[in-house]
């Protein structure tokens, strides 16, 4: 017992002396905790992952830093008018500006059964499409266009481009025309469904979305007046679930330009074709393309960079595109779908081709549908497309005085391995694919096979990749341009699948064709300038970009994109 009391007294004494010593240290400002472990406010600490210590960070309050130094988007919120303009630029087919200006007026009671549909009550599909559901089929509508061409027997007409999941649609429909200042629609029966496909090509089945051009005639009291928008309905009095702005593009001075080029939906999500695309765009600009219209599904970031650059320069326009209905639009999956479902792919391509035609009906003398591995190349004494057509058109009128609907060019392959067997040309940058590849198949593909055309937009009604499918004034007539005057140069790794047998012959019998070299110096200069502007060169490689065979090792992807080397 006595022993226990002694131990308790000793412990009590130690506690007392400990408190005395701690108090003395506090009075003299001494800290027993090592400096690196001292506690700091929670909002001023970061956890160091290496040694799990806390270290004090610099305060980020406005006492020490100006908030304007932070790189965020500090623009003020958009007002309604700005939002309307922004939406209109994203979805040109939506009559949002007209609706916004007239919504109070349009909501007033009218004596007719149909009312103007609110844009918030429309049924959209995959962003750019609007839907009409009927008792016999579903319509996915993409665009509406004002057609007053002299050669049209229908007179002033609105043509609606879309896809219907029916072959030979039987359902009766109506067009509700909405004119500026009118709160009631003028309703007419749909005149026709023009099929933009041939049965023999396949996919001729109910339930698969098929491309159509739908016509609705404008009534005589409104001839000379462009409808603000049009809706399609199954019954006259239905409130529409679609409403398309009627597009009517004319040049301000009513003077047409020469040539527009339309490019189907780009599907290059995993292929960085940016450098080849630059060479191709510059080549077409040299030849005389006034503008190139690209429809864009999914592309590599470097391609986006290139397209944005040329769009800012006014040389191209990029139109975003999706597939309608239940077709996939998820990146990667969409590419797989288009690769495996070839007929679906071809039918979907018809939509951007004809949208491009009808948006540019009155803006250009000629419209060409080209892929980015194709060039219509003048030969003989012609250098520009305009010079070529100045020669071809008078010759064609000797055969058909009233003119042809289109002018077609024979296809000839410039296959990759044909050039690789002959080596590289040292005075041309190696990355300039077309200038380097000057060996082609000796023989052209057969007449009217895989041709491409200059189309006369005043005379064609619907277009397919290779030729017009239907024309105004009767059966389509296409003039075959002599291969002495021009040819379609097609740069591919291999022939199309349907020409596998002929492809071996094309490979075995090749000739040198340096027609493109008459543009060599200018094309190299323009391409190098664009590549440099866009940051595709590694700095140390720029000086040698145009010499010593143009070693591709001088190319890089720029600081913000993937490498462009292939």
């Amino acid at each position: 017992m006595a022993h226990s009391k002694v131990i308790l007294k000793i412990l009590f004494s130690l506690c007392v002396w400990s408190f005395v010593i701690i108090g003395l240290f506090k009075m003299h400002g001494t800290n027993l905790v090592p400096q690196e472990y001292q506690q700091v406010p929670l909002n001023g600490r970061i956890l160091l992952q290496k040694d799990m210590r806390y270290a004090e960070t610099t305060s980020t309050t406005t006492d020490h830093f100006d908030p304007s130094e932070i790189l965020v988007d500090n623009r003020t919120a958009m007002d309604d008018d700005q939002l309307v303009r922004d939406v209109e630029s994203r979805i040109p087919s939506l009559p949002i500006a007209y609706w916004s200006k007239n919504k109070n007026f349009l909501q007033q009671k009218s004596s007719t059964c149909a009312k103007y549909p609110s844009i918030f009550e429309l049924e959209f599909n995959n962003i750019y499409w609007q839907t009409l559901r009927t008792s016999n089929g579903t319509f996915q509508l993409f665009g509406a266009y004002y057609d007053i061409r002299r050669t049209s027997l229908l007179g002033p007409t609105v043509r609606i481009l879309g896809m219907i999941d029916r072959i030979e649609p039987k359902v009766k429909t109506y067009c509700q025309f909405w004119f500026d200042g009118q709160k009631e629609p003028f309703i007419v029966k749909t005149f026709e469904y023009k099929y933009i496909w041939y049965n023999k090509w396949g996919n001729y089945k109910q339930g698969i979305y098929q491309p159509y051009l739908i016509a609705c005639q404008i009534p005589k009291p409104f001839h000379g007046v462009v409808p603000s928008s049009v809706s399609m309905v199954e019954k006259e009095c239905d409130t529409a679930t679609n409403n398309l702005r009627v597009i009517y593009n004319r040049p301000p001075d009513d003077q047409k330009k020469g040539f527009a080029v339309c490019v189907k939906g780009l599907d290059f999500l995993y292929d960085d074709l940016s450098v080849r695309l630059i060479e191709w765009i510059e080549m077409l600009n040299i030849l005389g393309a006034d503008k190139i219209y690209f429809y864009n599904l999914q592309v590599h970031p470097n391609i986006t960079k290139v397209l944005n650059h040329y769009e800012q320069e006014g040389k191209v326009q990029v139109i975003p595109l999706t597939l309608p209905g239940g077709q996939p639009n998820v990146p990667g999956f969409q590419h797989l779908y288009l690769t495996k479902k070839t007929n679906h792919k071809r039918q979907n391509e018809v939509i951007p081709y004809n949208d491009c035609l009808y948006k540019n009906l009155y803006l250009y003398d000629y419209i060409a549908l080209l892929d980015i591995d194709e060039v219509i190349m003048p030969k003989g004494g012609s250098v520009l497309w305009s010079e070529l057509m100045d020669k071809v058109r008078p010759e064609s009128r000797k055969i058909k005085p009233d003119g042809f609907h289109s002018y077609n060019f024979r296809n000839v392959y410039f296959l990759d391995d044909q050039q690789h067997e002959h080596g590289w040309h040292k005075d041309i940058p190696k990355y300039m694919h077309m200038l380097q590849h000057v060996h082609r198949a000796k023989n052209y593909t057969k007449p009217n096979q895989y041709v491409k055309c200059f189309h006369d937009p005043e005379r064609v009604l619907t277009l397919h990749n290779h030729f017009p499918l239907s024309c105004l004034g009767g059966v389509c007539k296409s003039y075959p341009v002599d291969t002495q005057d021009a040819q379609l140069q097609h740069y591919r790794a291999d022939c199309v699948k349907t020409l596998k047998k002929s492809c071996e012959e094309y490979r075995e019998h090749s000739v040198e064709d340096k027609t493109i070299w008459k543009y060599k110096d200018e094309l190299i200069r323009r391409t190098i300038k664009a590549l440099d502007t866009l940051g595709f060169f590694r700095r140390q490689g720029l000086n040698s970009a145009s010499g010593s065979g143009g070693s591709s090792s001088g190319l890089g992807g720029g600081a913000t994109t993937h490498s462009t080397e292939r």
Side-chain angles (χ1 to χ4, degrees):
M1 187 72 175
H3 183 67
S4 298
K5 287 182 178 180
V6 171
I7 291 174
L8 289 172
K9 285 180 180 181
I10 292 171
L11 289 174
F12 178 76
S13 299
L14 287 173
C15 289
V16 171
W17 279 108
S18 295
F19 282 113
V20 170
I21 292 169
I22 291 172
L24 290 172
F25 274 114
K26 288 288 184 181
M27 289 173 63
H28 290 282
T30 304
N31 198 334
L32 294 177
V33 182
Q35 182 69 26
E36 64 268 30
Y37 288 104
Q38 291 178 23
Q39 187 175 2
V40 295
L42 286 174
N43 62 354
R45 291 183 295 167
I46 58 173
L47 184 62
L48 300 178
Q49 295 182 358
K50 184 177 180 180
D51 55 11
M52 303 301 287
R53 298 176 182 176
Y54 285 101
E56 188 171 1
T57 61
T58 307
S59 170
T60 57
T61 65
T62 53
D63 294 337
H64 297 84
F65 291 97
D66 184 350
S68 64
E69 294 178 359
I70 303 300
L71 299 178
V72 295
D73 189 344
N74 289 315
R75 289 177 296 180
T76 55
M78 288 186 180
D79 59 25
D80 284 354
D81 290 339
Q82 291 171 319
L83 278 171
V84 165
R85 289 193 294 271
D86 182 60
V87 172
E88 189 174 42
S89 69
R90 295 173 187 272
I91 313 179
S93 63
L94 183 65
I96 187 171
Y98 175 75
W99 172 84
S100 178
K101 183 179 71 173
N102 298 287
K103 57 181 179 291
N104 293 330
F105 169 72
L106 294 168
Q107 288 172 356
Q108 296 175 9
K109 289 185 177 180
S110 64
S111 57
T112 62
C113 55
K115 68 174 185 177
Y116 191 87
S118 166
I119 61 168
F120 303 123
E121 295 170 359
L122 304 179
E123 183 177 346
F124 292 94
N125 181 263
N126 296 341
I127 304 176
Y128 306 109
W129 305 76
Q130 295 183 38
T131 304
L132 165 64
R133 300 184 186 278
T134 74
S135 58
N136 188 15
T138 300
F139 295 54
Q140 300 295 349
L141 308 177
F142 189 76
Y145 321 90
Y146 187 58
D147 186 353
I148 51 170
R149 289 175 289 179
R150 296 185 301 274
T151 48
S152 173
L153 299 178
L154 299 186
T157 302
V158 169
R159 301 193 188 272
I160 300 172
L161 181 64
M163 301 189 86
I164 310 172
D165 62 352
R166 291 291 184 274
I167 53 174
E168 301 179 10
K170 304 297 184 185
V171 63
K172 292 182 179 180
T173 55
Y174 296 85
C175 282
Q176 298 174 345
F177 287 124
W178 302 94
F179 293 92
D180 196 11
Q182 303 281 328
K183 63 180 180 181
E184 300 174 356
F186 203 100
I187 304 172
V188 299
K189 286 184 178 180
T190 299
F191 181 80
E192 69 174 350
Y193 305 116
K194 175 70 72 174
Y195 193 36
I196 321 177
W197 192 250
Y198 283 156
N199 304 359
K200 62 183 180 182
W201 289 344
N203 263 14
Y204 194 65
K205 300 175 183 177
Q206 301 286 6
I208 296 175
Y209 277 106
Q210 312 279 339
Y212 286 91
L213 186 67
I214 304 160
C216 286
Q217 293 174 286
I218 295 175
K220 285 187 177 180
F222 293 96
H223 281 193
V225 182
V226 183
S228 295
S229 65
V230 61
S231 300
M232 282 193 70
V233 292
E234 184 173 6
K235 298 177 181 178
E236 291 181 80
C237 293
D238 286 350
T239 299
T241 57
N242 59 85
N243 193 10
L244 300 167
R245 181 173 73 89
V246 177
I247 295 172
Y248 180 49
N249 296 329
R250 292 198 79 97
D253 55 1
D254 237 22
Q255 293 296 313
K256 288 186 176 185
K257 293 183 178 180
F259 298 86
V261 175
C262 306
V263 183
K264 65 191 178 189
L266 297 175
D267 175 35
F268 300 114
L269 182 61
Y270 305 109
D271 293 328
D272 183 3
L273 302 177
S274 51
V275 176
R276 286 186 61 172
L277 183 61
I278 289 172
E279 183 187 13
W280 185 79
I281 291 173
E282 295 295 353
M283 184 71 256
L284 265 57
N285 286 162
I286 291 171
L287 290 170
D290 292 285
K291 199 155 197 175
I292 307 171
Y293 295 86
F294 290 94
Y295 288 77
N296 188 13
L297 288 168
Q298 313 279 349
V299 295
H300 188 280
N302 279 347
I303 295 178
T304 299
K305 183 168 71 169
V306 169
L307 293 175
N308 289 343
H309 165 73
Y310 284 107
E311 193 163 36
Q312 289 172 1
E313 290 194 340
K315 295 178 180 178
V316 314
Q317 182 177 340
V318 182
I319 302 100
L321 182 67
T322 59
L323 305 181
Q327 299 177 98
N329 287 285
V330 176
F333 184 26
Q334 182 188 76
H335 173 74
L336 183 64
Y337 173 82
L338 294 174
T339 302
K340 303 300 182 184
K341 306 281 273 186
T342 306
N343 276 341
H344 290 73
K345 172 184 169 70
R346 301 293 179 223
Q347 287 183 315
N348 279 288
E349 288 171 355
V350 166
I351 298 299
Y353 284 146
N354 286 276
D355 179 68
C356 190
L357 166 66
Y358 277 92
K359 282 179 177 174
N360 296 295
L361 277 183
Y362 314 104
L363 300 180
Y364 300 94
D365 292 323
Y366 302 101
I367 291 176
L369 313 183
L370 295 177
D371 296 334
I372 63 173
D373 57 3
E374 299 171 331
V375 176
I376 294 174
M377 183 62 66
K379 298 173 68 177
S382 300
V383 176
L384 304 176
W385 283 347
S386 57
E387 296 170 350
L388 169 64
M389 293 309 294
D390 285 344
K391 181 178 187 298
V392 167
R393 197 156 189 172
E395 291 176 353
S396 71
R397 288 188 180 275
K398 294 176 184 177
I399 301 171
K400 193 172 185 294
D402 59 342
F404 285 82
H405 298 94
S406 65
Y407 304 82
N408 70 77
F409 301 88
R410 292 276 296 276
N411 175 73
V412 64
Y413 284 116
F414 287 69
L415 299 173
D416 289 358
D417 51 10
Q418 286 175 326
Q419 183 60 43
H420 300 165
E421 294 172 0
H422 295 84
W424 303 97
H425 300 282
K426 294 182 179 180
D427 60 336
I428 297 171
K430 198 171 182 180
Y431 51 79
M432 296 195 68
H433 184 89
M434 294 188 296
L435 282 180
Q436 282 285 0
H437 287 76
V438 291
H439 284 82
R440 64 166 175 84
K442 181 179 179 180
N443 295 325
Y444 293 79
T445 52
K446 293 178 181 179
N448 298 318
Q449 282 193 354
Y450 307 102
V451 300
K452 287 299 175 76
C453 302
F454 286 146
H455 302 283
D456 182 350
E458 288 285 345
R459 301 170 65 88
V460 294
L461 185 60
T462 61
L463 297 181
H464 174 260
N465 188 12
H466 296 293
F467 44 81
L469 288 183
S470 56
C471 297
L472 298 174
V475 178
C476 295
K477 298 291 185 182
S478 184
Y479 178 77
V481 177
D482 195 298
T483 55
Q484 296 298 314
D485 294 324
Q487 63 194 17
L488 177 69
Q489 301 194 175
H490 201 167
Y491 298 87
R492 286 180 61 101
D494 201 355
C495 303
V496 294
K497 292 180 180 179
T498 49
L499 289 177
K500 283 294 183 184
K501 291 182 180 179
S502 305
C503 206
E504 290 306 314
E505 176 196 336
Y506 295 148
R507 281 196 166 89
E508 290 174 8
H509 301 90
S510 66
V511 295
E512 189 175 64
D513 186 339
K514 295 181 178 178
T515 306
I516 195 173
W517 277 15
K518 60 186 172 183
Y519 312 98
K520 180 173 66 173
D521 293 342
E522 180 66 9
L523 183 55
I524 290 174
R525 185 189 68 79
R526 290 188 182 204
T527 301
I528 289 177
K529 181 181 177 183
L531 288 168
D532 187 32
T533 300
L534 288 167
F536 278 94
F537 289 117
R538 297 193 181 100
R539 291 299 94 191
Q540 66 270 25
L542 180 57
N543 293 334
S544 62
S546 59
S548 302
S551 171
S552 61
S553 63
L555 279 172
T560 58
T561 58
H562 297 80
S563 170
T564 58
E565 293 181 79
R566 294 195 52 73

